[in-house]
Amino acid sequence: MSTEKDKQPGKEIADPGDEVGELVGRLTGEEELEPAERRRLLGRLARAVSDGARKAKSTGVGRGRWLADLFLNIAPRIPIRDLQTLSEHHHGLTGEALADDLVRTAQKATMTVGAVGGALAAAEFAAPPLLLSAPAQLVAETIVVAAIEVKLLAELHEVYGVRIDGSGAQRAFAFSSAWARQRGIDPLAPASVTLALGAATKAALRKRLMRTLGRHLTTLGPFLTGAVAGGALNRAATKKLGETIRNDLRGKLPPAPRRDQITS
């Protein structure tokens, strides 16, 4: 979603080409990661997040602002596929069948991240001297889950033919804003397409990210209880989001094209 133009100095959102953006891009890409590799990348992301938080000296409410700024920095790095690519990656499916498959895939992805993140947090919980490092792992999980869900939301818009114009960064911010509201973008209501980063948009994103982080904090527990809870909570939340977005997008534009119309 990013372009060289989006990365020019002086933009309101800083250059997303840092380690956090790279790691989130890998964790939300189409490559099937082995569990060990996913754990390794989440561990690296947790360390990068922790380093960034220390440098920002973020605490309390400030942490929410920092988390929102961090997510907006990396949002243009979230890999969003167009309709033709989506259909190719999902065995030629289109329309509702393709949407079904996207939601199932996203559910599996957030469930896996929740299980890995919950297990890491549980391991830290079992070792009191390392407890203070657990929140960084849960923040990393929160960022990845949010990115997976923004990707799902954006690709469902592709499936239902709701195209959002603008630069890569502008589209990333629009989809992030829609995720914060947990609603689809209405193409017939221009005001719902948020291309500018106003105070209200940032506040909504901050609240959504902190609510997601709060959900992940409930997975702190000994042994494998965190892994089970983390996976189940993430899966349920992603399923609910997918249903809401699909209901918002259905019927707003003509039916999605058939497979032969996509490739012609």
Side-chain angles (χ1 to χ4, degrees), residues 30-259:
E30 300 315 307
E31 179 185 358
E32 187 69 25
L33 298 173
E34 294 293 330
E37 176 66 4
R38 190 179 298 276
R39 285 194 295 271
R40 187 184 71 81
L41 293 176
L42 276 170
R44 281 183 57 193
L45 180 59
R47 288 192 293 274
V49 165
S50 181
D51 290 343
R54 280 198 295 270
K55 290 177 182 177
K57 297 181 180 179
S58 53
T59 58
V61 176
R63 181 180 298 165
R65 289 193 293 268
W66 171 79
L67 183 58
D69 286 342
L70 175 65
F71 190 77
L72 288 171
N73 281 342
I74 66 175
R77 296 286 292 272
I78 299 172
I80 307 300
R81 296 165 292 180
D82 60 24
L83 182 57
Q84 181 174 343
T85 303
L86 282 169
S87 184
E88 290 173 352
H89 287 179
H90 289 266
H91 312 290
L93 295 175
T94 61
E96 295 292 338
L98 176 55
D100 286 342
D101 216 32
L102 286 178
V103 174
R104 281 194 297 267
T105 301
Q107 285 180 247
K108 179 181 178 181
T110 59
M111 181 175 66
T112 301
V113 171
V116 172
L120 286 171
E124 298 297 345
F125 189 86
L130 300 177
L131 179 59
L132 291 178
S133 67
Q137 294 163 354
L138 296 181
V139 170
E141 177 186 342
T142 295
I143 292 171
V144 175
V145 168
I148 291 170
E149 291 188 344
V150 168
K151 176 185 177 71
L152 170 64
L153 183 148
E155 293 183 345
L156 286 174
H157 282 70
E158 284 286 326
V159 172
Y160 287 98
V162 180
R163 295 287 302 171
I164 305 303
D165 295 326
S167 67
Q170 286 177 322
R171 295 179 70 238
F173 302 152
F175 290 129
S176 297
S177 175
W179 175 79
R181 302 191 313 272
Q182 300 281 281
R183 300 304 301 264
I185 298 173
D186 186 350
L188 304 180
S192 72
V193 183
T194 306
L195 298 181
L197 286 175
T201 299
K202 288 183 177 180
L205 180 61
R206 181 171 68 248
K207 289 179 181 178
R208 178 59 57 185
L209 285 165
M210 293 305 286
R211 285 182 63 181
T212 304
L213 176 59
R215 184 178 80 227
H216 294 154
L217 286 172
T218 66
T219 67
L220 278 173
F223 309 111
L224 293 180
T225 57
V228 174
L233 289 173
N234 283 349
R235 184 180 186 279
T238 303
K239 179 180 179 181
K240 180 179 178 181
L241 173 68
E243 291 172 349
T244 299
I245 300 305
R246 293 175 71 178
N247 287 335
D248 281 350
L249 298 179
R250 285 189 183 104
K252 294 187 182 301
L253 289 176
R258 301 187 307 273
R259 172 71 173 169

